[in-house]
Amino acid sequence: MTVLDSARGTVEGVRAEVCALHAELVRYGLVVWTAGNVSARVPGHDLFVIKPSGVSYDDLTPENMVLCDLHGTVVEGDHAPSSDTAAQAYVYRHLDHVGAVVHTHSPYAVAWAARGEPIPVVTTMCADEFGGDIPVGPFAAIGDDSIGRGIVDTLRGSRSPAVLMQNHGVFAVGPTARSAVKAAVMCEDVARSVHLAHQLGRPLPIPPDAVDALHDRYQNVYGQR
């Protein structure tokens, strides 16, 4: 029995989840046309599943999700994987706690990325989910692991599960695919709110100790346990 044979049931489960979560990107207006993607690790194996490149969201199925190793090499699939595959493989190799990566070009977040400006922690939602400013990573080429290097270097110094890659868009991470999608959704919501606040005047910063308290409450107390 090969490693892939032993992982078959797990792979199919990840394929189904990753495929289904792409609908959330459309639902929340985070992507247009074929841009953006969700990927997720295969638990217990050095593999991940990612969206095929250039395929319409309406045409995505669990079967056409692409299985890759952690160097971005296709292990199984009839389609070419996303152009972000090498970058996301780099993230998986270097951040063990990351179980999933989501990439979007959501408009308000991209507007901040185009200015190369972090989104400041001036709302409680930003403090809750991101634990501070949503940081900006460097401009990087698409298609190799340059974006992945920027993601890793930026997020290693931040509590944020999302980074705005300069002139590009959002990369969000999480322990699960659903948590990474949530971070991408909340990043766009915060980007929009803070943009609107800037139109009205000068947003008021939240004191660092309050940011810490809000983040701790949201991460460890809020919701069902």
Side-chain angles (χ1 to χ4, degrees), residues 13 20-21 66 70-71 81 88 94 103 136-137 142 170 172 182 195:
L21 283 169
V66 185
L70 296 192
H71 291 276
Q88 296 189 22
H94 290 85
H103 174 45
V136 175
I142 299 170
V170 176
K182 174 194 172 190
H195 169 79

Side-chain angles (χ1 to χ4, degrees), residues 95-180:
L95 296 178
D96 291 340
H97 68 282
V98 170
V101 182
V102 172
H103 174 45
T104 76
H105 296 161
S106 56
Y108 283 90
V110 167
W112 288 90
R115 296 197 300 267
E117 186 176 351
I119 302 174
V121 58
V122 295
T123 68
T124 58
M125 180 178 285
C126 190
D128 287 346
E129 178 72 10
F130 303 98
D133 297 352
I134 302 175
V136 175
F139 177 78
I142 299 170
D144 60 19
D145 66 8
S146 299
I147 289 173
R149 292 174 185 273
I151 294 168
V152 169
D153 290 346
T154 304
L155 292 186
R156 273 185 174 154
S158 173
R159 291 189 294 201
S160 175
V163 55
L164 310 177
M165 292 301 288
Q166 183 181 313
N167 303 106
H168 187 173
V170 176
F171 284 84
V173 302
T176 67
R178 187 167 185 82
S179 66

Side-chain angles (χ1 to χ4, degrees), residues 1-11 42 44-47 67 75:
M1 178 180 290
T2 68
V3 171
L4 188 54
D5 289 335
S6 68
R8 177 58 56 197
T10 306
V11 168
V42 177
H45 301 274
D46 290 336
L47 302 167
L67 181 67
V75 174

